[in-house]
Amino acid sequence: MKKIIYILFSLFLFTVPLFSQSEVDALRFSREDLHGTARAMSMGGAFGALGGDLTGVSINPAGIAVYRSSEVTGTMNWMKEGSKVGDIKANKNTFNLDNIGFVGYFPLRNDVTPLINFGFTYNRLKSFDKKVSAMGDARGTLLDYIYNDYKVGLDNGAISNPDDLVWIEDKYDPFLSQPWLPTLGRNAFLLHPNQGGTALVPLDTRGETAFSEIGLREKGYIDNYDFTVGTTVNNVLNLGLSLSIKDVYYSLYSRLDEDFNDGGYTLNNWMKVSGAGVGVKLGAIYRPVNALRIGLAWHSPVRYAMTETYQAEMLEDIESYLPSYVNYEEGGIHSAVFTNDYDLRTPGKIVASVATVLGSNFIASVDYELKDYGNMKLKLPSNSPDDDRWYDGDNEIISQDHKMASTVKVGMEYRFTPQFSGRLGYAWMQNPYDADLVDFGDAVIAGANTIHRIEGDTHYFTGGLGYRFNQNFYLDMAVVYKTQKDDLYPFPNYYLNDKLEVDAAPFSLKNNSIRGLLTLGYRF
């Protein structure tokens, strides 16, 4: 059903360039990582009902009203990001400023609302820095996938004539109007005319098994800037409001090699995305008794304006597999660098929290977050001359393939002395996919970038220490270990009439990272 819907929505679009975004792109910028100060991270990020910490303010803006003094803090982060496919490992090390901010405390000398606090916080919500390598024998091939994509293009009218795929120097560029994968395949001779010239046929690899190799290099970030105001009512109910501005940068280089006994081909993709978005957060923390804190926060959807540049290339050495009547020239084909603007609306989020503070020695806290990834929406920019229905098919697929996902965070802190504290925590982030997408592996991609991941649940194990030098200065340290298992696809599975036609045979990708965080704070 999903494929039928996608084809139907594409029927009226084939007269304009067919490169657009997909559900893979929408999800990339909608998921966040565990982030914040060393204290909050060492407690699994469970700070929504506690406040008095810049991460708590980021989760629930009402946490700013807990402050009874002004504060300035900064957090440095060292991270080693690792991936493993079989026996192949790839690692990347980064060092960043992950968190910085201040809170201004302003007493009002009013019994009902005794204060109003203002603050600014910068947080790195997500780092894209990653390397992935994988290799092994393939079941289905990229050649199979491209040929089936070509046949779908003929059936739905996206390709009106096979000759429309042929690039002619200085005269005709099919990348402007034709599907990219068939265009690359045709000009790299993976698809070539039959002897009568009446149709395109796939390269005959004589039934040989391809050896597949994947290489990925990703860089980038999602940064968040919160401007927050909050107050307390009768020192029982804290209220807060934040304006959130987000900044995105992402770059990707991907390589897919498939080699046969006497030749093969390589698909290269380059992509860069930059953009900014805005949203709001509302929060409340209720303290019915001194030992109990109950928090509730709402994060609105974020509307991003994105600009993307992209380029693809197919290189080949396949003369041994081509019939003699084909006028073959080795070398391949590459597109120009194209630019595309689009908007993305990420789903909103609800955060419910509860914490207990027992005396001056022990804190325990739990946060529960709920986010409906089926509400992600791709949109054209408001000034676009194209049809408003451009992304309707993609958005329908997004709603089918994604679900409401939960995040649970738990943490505790014990103060051994008035100066020295120890902390432990754990967080679990549920994957956002509908079970059918996980089982069938038929995600919809855009353009020529076929390599993608179906991500699994994420687990964080955290711990740390804190030391107060005096009433003003403090130092917090944290260690965060993250683990996640993904399915790494060289291209999506392809089904015809519920039958698997092209088996992508995804690799099992094991991800892990270890982070060391150091926060220095000053209260005055």
Side-chain angles (χ1 to χ4, degrees):
M1 178 61 71
K2 181 175 72 176
K3 298 298 184 190
I4 294 174
I5 291 174
Y6 189 73
I7 291 170
L8 289 176
F9 273 112
S10 70
L11 285 176
F12 66 91
L13 296 173
F14 62 84
T15 58
V16 289
L18 291 176
F19 190 95
S20 62
Q21 282 56 53
S22 71
E23 57 185 335
V24 175
D25 303 283
L27 183 62
R28 179 184 295 118
F29 303 114
S30 295
R31 294 196 81 185
E32 299 173 1
D33 208 343
L34 199 65
H35 63 273
T37 63
R39 184 187 181 197
M41 292 284 280
S42 63
M43 294 176 63
F47 245 80
L50 290 171
D53 178 275
L54 287 181
T55 300
V57 175
S58 177
I59 297 168
N60 186 337
I64 199 170
V66 175
Y67 281 90
R68 294 300 182 269
S69 63
S70 298
E71 179 179 84
V72 177
T73 67
T75 301
M76 300 303 298
N77 166 47
W78 168 82
M79 180 174 69
K80 180 180 180 180
E81 177 76 27
S83 65
K84 182 179 179 182
V85 178
D87 295 327
I88 303 173
K89 298 180 180 180
N91 297 308
K92 188 162 187 179
N93 294 281
T94 56
F95 186 75
N96 295 302
L97 177 66
D98 261 21
N99 167 273
I100 192 170
F102 73 88
V103 171
Y105 166 68
F106 298 94
L108 298 179
R109 297 180 177 85
N110 183 312
D111 292 338
V112 178
T113 54
L115 59 86
I116 184 168
N117 291 345
F118 299 90
F120 164 78
T121 309
Y122 157 77
N123 281 292
R124 176 146 292 184
L125 301 183
K126 186 173 184 177
S127 172
F128 292 108
D129 292 354
K130 193 174 186 65
K131 291 182 179 179
V132 177
S133 296
M135 61 179 63
D137 290 336
R139 291 185 216 157
T141 65
L142 178 63
L143 170 62
D144 300 329
Y145 186 83
I146 289 175
Y147 183 61
N148 280 280
D149 195 36
Y150 161 70
K151 290 191 295 183
V152 169
L154 286 177
D155 291 341
N156 66 19
I159 302 171
S160 57
N161 188 316
D163 290 340
D164 292 341
L165 299 174
V166 180
W167 181 80
I168 304 174
E169 186 175 2
D170 298 328
K171 292 183 179 181
Y172 174 66
D173 187 350
F175 290 102
L176 291 171
S177 59
Q178 301 299 314
W180 276 40
L181 283 173
T183 296
L184 290 164
R186 172 64 185 93
N187 290 279
F189 295 91
L190 275 65
L191 308 179
H192 61 83
N194 60 13
Q195 193 161 10
T198 58
L200 295 183
V201 295
L203 188 72
D204 182 7
T205 56
R206 303 191 286 263
E208 297 172 2
T209 298
F211 185 77
S212 175
E213 184 175 357
I214 286 175
L216 284 176
R217 293 201 306 265
E218 295 176 287
K219 293 180 64 177
Y221 53 79
I222 300 177
D223 286 348
N224 184 81
Y225 305 86
D226 280 335
F227 300 87
T228 306
V229 60
T231 189
T232 183
V233 179
N234 294 322
N235 290 308
V236 173
L237 178 64
N238 296 340
L239 301 172
L241 169 67
S242 293
L243 172 66
S244 294
I245 298 174
K246 289 181 167 59
D247 178 33
V248 170
Y249 173 76
Y250 175 76
S251 70
L252 166 74
Y253 165 67
S254 69
R255 186 191 78 253
L256 175 57
D257 292 325
E258 290 186 342
D259 292 319
F260 300 89
N261 296 343
D262 297 311
Y265 43 82
T266 299
L267 174 63
N268 293 311
N269 276 274
W270 296 265
M271 181 171 67
K272 290 185 179 181
V273 183
S274 61
V278 64
V280 297
K281 303 174 186 176
L282 301 172
I285 298 175
Y286 178 57
R287 187 176 63 178
V289 295
N290 192 53
L292 182 63
R293 317 282 173 87
I294 301 170
L296 185 65
W298 174 70
H299 297 197
S300 76
V302 175
R303 179 72 177 259
Y304 283 104
M306 301 290 207
T307 296
E308 179 181 83
T309 60
Y310 49 92
Q311 184 179 22
E313 175 185 64
M314 183 76 82
L315 304 176
E316 91 293 321
D317 178 13
I318 54 175
E319 186 172 8
S320 297
Y321 298 97
L322 285 168
S324 58
Y325 66 83
V326 174
N327 186 20
Y328 172 67
E329 295 181 10
E330 181 183 341
I333 180 72
H334 64 85
S335 74
V337 177
F338 286 83
T339 300
N340 181 47
D341 294 327
Y342 68 96
D343 288 354
L344 168 66
R345 191 189 75 186
T346 67
K349 178 169 65 176
I350 295 175
V351 185
S353 313
V354 62
T356 182
V357 181
L358 302 179
S360 59
N361 294 90
F362 182 75
I363 296 173
S365 182
V366 178
D367 284 9
Y368 176 74
E369 301 179 1
L370 195 61
K371 197 169 184 177
D372 189 356
Y373 288 90
N375 287 333
M376 297 182 296
K377 298 291 182 185
L378 294 162
K379 296 177 177 290
L380 290 171
S382 57
N383 61 348
S384 173
D386 294 319
D387 196 304
D388 290 340
R389 298 173 295 167
W390 177 272
Y391 286 111
D392 283 0
D394 296 285
N395 290 330
E396 178 67 25
I397 290 166
I398 286 172
S399 67
Q400 290 182 9
D401 281 351
H402 297 82
K403 66 180 181 181
M404 197 170 288
S406 300
T407 297
V408 178
K409 307 173 184 177
V410 296
M412 58 175 290
E413 176 184 83
Y414 186 78
R415 186 169 295 175
F416 299 101
T417 71
Q419 290 79 33
F420 182 63
S421 302
R423 299 153 187 152
L424 290 172
Y426 169 76
W428 167 73
M429 291 186 180
Q430 185 181 23
N431 78 77
Y433 304 106
D434 182 81
D436 282 348
L437 180 61
V438 176
D439 292 340
F440 292 103
D442 56 345
V444 174
I445 59 169
N449 187 32
T450 62
I451 301 171
H452 63 284
R453 297 191 295 268
I454 300 295
E455 301 176 7
D457 292 355
T458 310
H459 302 268
Y460 300 86
F461 303 89
T462 69
L465 301 171
Y467 187 79
R468 292 194 171 276
F469 298 98
N470 52 45
Q471 289 184 343
N472 302 107
F473 284 99
Y474 65 89
L475 181 70
D476 294 319
M477 297 173 286
V479 176
V480 179
Y481 178 73
K482 170 186 172 183
T483 180
Q484 177 180 308
K485 293 182 180 180
D486 302 338
D487 290 329
L488 174 65
Y489 281 84
F491 42 82
N493 285 329
Y494 181 82
Y495 291 85
L496 182 63
N497 298 325
D498 296 327
K499 180 183 177 183
L500 182 61
E501 290 288 316
V502 183
D503 186 354
F507 296 95
S508 177
L509 171 62
K510 297 179 180 179
N511 305 281
N512 65 79
S513 68
I514 185 164
R515 301 169 65 181
L517 297 103
L518 189 68
T519 298
L520 181 64
Y522 176 69
R523 290 188 172 181
F524 56 96

